[in-house]
Amino acid sequence: MNGIKIKGTGRCVPEKTVTNDDLARIVDTSDQWITTRTGIRRRHHCTTETHANLCAGAAKAALARAGVAPEQVGACIVATVSADTAVPSAACLLQRELGLPEDIPCFDLNAACTGFLYALHTMECLLNASPRKFGLVVGAEVLSRLINWEDRGTCILFGDGAGAAVVECREGWPSIGAVLGSRGDDELLRLPGLEAGERSFIQMDGTKVFKFAVETVPRCMDQVLQKAGMTAEDVDFFVFHQANARIIDLAVRKYRIPTEKYYKNIQEYGNTSAASIPLVLSELEEQGKVGPGSRVLAVGFGGGLTWGGALIEFV
Ligand code: ACO
């Protein structure tokens, strides 16, 4: 199978920020507790912006950076659990907004926080079967509308945003070598669907999810490196799903990853689920920390349960 590489990234976040002190006025918590236990200082929440607006903003920025026109796109996937509507999908609305070709697949993908990595792997498969060699992968969430504002264990964690990547598939390029997994579990993490009617809130056993993440992240990294026949030294940059700074710190310590080779933006955005990894990629590309030739190891985990890792190169 021919591999994909990232040609350009983009992001879009709502204007309004909600600080830890703002939340301390709603629930029994404090800036000190949230900062030390999670690393989060603020998060962005939608006011007038919609999920569709965030997707369009991130996708347009990624296409512009990649220098790719909408008519060159061969498939569009939006990884999300919080689209404006179940039907039409966020990806179909994006097809209309961007003027993507009508003869390509556009669909949403739900793998919670691992969604962007699931989508990248799916895109690699799709582009191998497509005459068009560019793909648009978006991770977007408006989790602020799925928050139970009486639950201090979850309401402090989540934020809204979107990140996007335009990828290219070429003969001879190595596959991203994605390692993906799932284990059905509705106790650790749950977002009710139709059963809940209009009021659907994220429910989580934070401590158990934390333990799951701490075990899963290094195992996933090992599997990705083993599959590629590489070591951590062959990786230019490590990108972790931004769920809790302590989870990232544990992985970094285990692999002795130097400070200049990983990145955290959880302090600014909180946990944005499927948007988290592409938000990091977009900031890294903008800051020149990754660019043509860079090899990134990205790891995610989340509801489902799901997990995944991949070696993503930039072109
Ligand atoms: N402010 C103050 N105290 C709090 C808060 C809060 N916001 N939340 C919980 N506490 C209290 C608890 O009530 C408990 O008090 P007690 O000891 O009197 O009972 C104490 O703090 C410790 O609670 P824990 O839940 O054990 O705290 P923990 O250190 O585990 O941190 C947290 C909680 C931040 C949620 C952590 O477990 C975590 O980050 N889990 C992982 C979350 C995650 O990665 N989710 C990813 C998937 S999300 C998705 O896919 C959509």
Side-chain angles (χ1 to χ4, degrees):
M1 186 161 73
N2 299 315
I4 53 168
K5 296 188 184 188
I6 291 183
K7 202 163 164 58
T9 58
R11 68 179 180 282
C12 181
V13 291
E15 248 174 63
K16 185 188 170 193
T17 55
V18 177
T19 64
N20 293 343
D21 285 333
D22 291 334
L23 292 176
R25 284 189 277 276
I26 302 173
V27 287
D28 182 14
T29 189
S30 65
D31 175 46
Q32 204 241 349
W33 193 94
I34 301 172
T35 308
T36 52
R37 304 304 284 176
T38 71
I40 301 168
R41 291 185 181 277
R42 67 191 137 261
R43 63 292 286 147
H44 293 242
H45 282 178
C46 287
T47 48
T48 54
E49 306 93 341
T50 62
H51 186 281
N53 297 151
L54 299 184
C55 286
K60 283 177 186 169
L63 285 167
R65 192 174 263 275
V68 168
E71 56 269 25
Q72 293 176 281
V73 172
C76 170
I77 307 176
V78 177
T80 189
V81 297
S82 55
D84 295 325
T85 46
V87 177
S89 68
C92 284
L93 293 177
L94 201 48
Q95 182 280 329
R96 181 177 67 184
E97 173 70 21
L98 300 177
L100 299 177
E102 288 191 1
D103 59 343
I104 65 166
C106 296
F107 60 94
D108 291 359
L109 184 156
N110 168 3
C113 302
T114 325
F116 187 76
L117 295 177
Y118 267 61
L120 274 185
H121 172 72
T122 308
M123 183 58 77
E124 190 168 80
C125 300
L126 285 175
L127 290 184
N128 269 273
S130 167
R132 294 191 181 91
K133 292 303 169 196
F134 296 102
L136 178 59
V137 183
V138 182
E141 303 288 9
V142 182
L143 299 175
S144 60
R145 60 182 164 208
L146 301 173
I147 285 171
N148 176 357
W149 293 106
E150 290 174 5
D151 177 10
R152 66 177 181 172
T154 55
C155 75
I156 56 148
L157 296 174
F158 299 106
D160 304 341
V166 171
V167 299
E168 182 178 357
C169 180
R170 257 200 231 163
E171 210 173 320
W173 279 355
S175 162
I176 59 170
V179 169
L180 305 174
S182 65
R183 184 193 312 145
D185 182 302
D186 58 1
E187 284 175 16
L188 267 60
L189 199 41
R190 197 161 195 279
L191 175 55
L194 291 175
E195 66 191 13
E198 299 222 323
R199 305 311 301 156
S200 184
F201 300 129
I202 297 169
Q203 301 155 7
M204 184 176 69
D205 184 331
T207 310
K208 285 189 182 154
V209 176
F210 190 93
K211 277 189 195 145
F212 157 71
V214 168
E215 285 162 17
T216 303
V217 170
R219 193 182 66 233
C220 230
M221 290 169 73
D222 284 342
Q223 288 173 351
V224 172
L225 290 171
Q226 197 184 12
K227 190 171 170 184
M230 292 185 192
T231 66
E233 280 70 48
D234 297 315
V235 174
D236 298 310
F237 220 95
F238 294 82
V239 170
F240 300 96
H241 168 46
Q242 310 280 308
N244 187 317
R246 290 186 291 143
I247 297 172
I248 300 173
D249 292 341
L250 286 167
V252 161
R253 221 173 296 143
K254 186 169 173 157
Y255 279 86
R256 297 200 177 85
I257 300 170
T259 334
E260 65 277 11
K261 279 192 162 193
Y262 73 97
Y263 187 75
K264 284 185 215 161
N265 60 12
I266 188 168
Q267 66 282 1
E268 178 64 29
Y269 302 117
N271 181 349
T272 55
S273 192
S276 147
I277 288 177
L279 277 176
V280 172
L281 291 172
S282 158
E283 291 196 343
L284 290 178
E285 191 184 27
E286 191 177 77
Q287 293 170 22
K289 291 193 160 95
V290 300
S294 300
R295 182 185 290 135
V296 171
L297 198 169
V299 196
F301 60 88
L305 300 167
T306 56
W307 57 89
L311 275 174
I312 310 163
E313 291 186 26
F314 279 70
V315 62

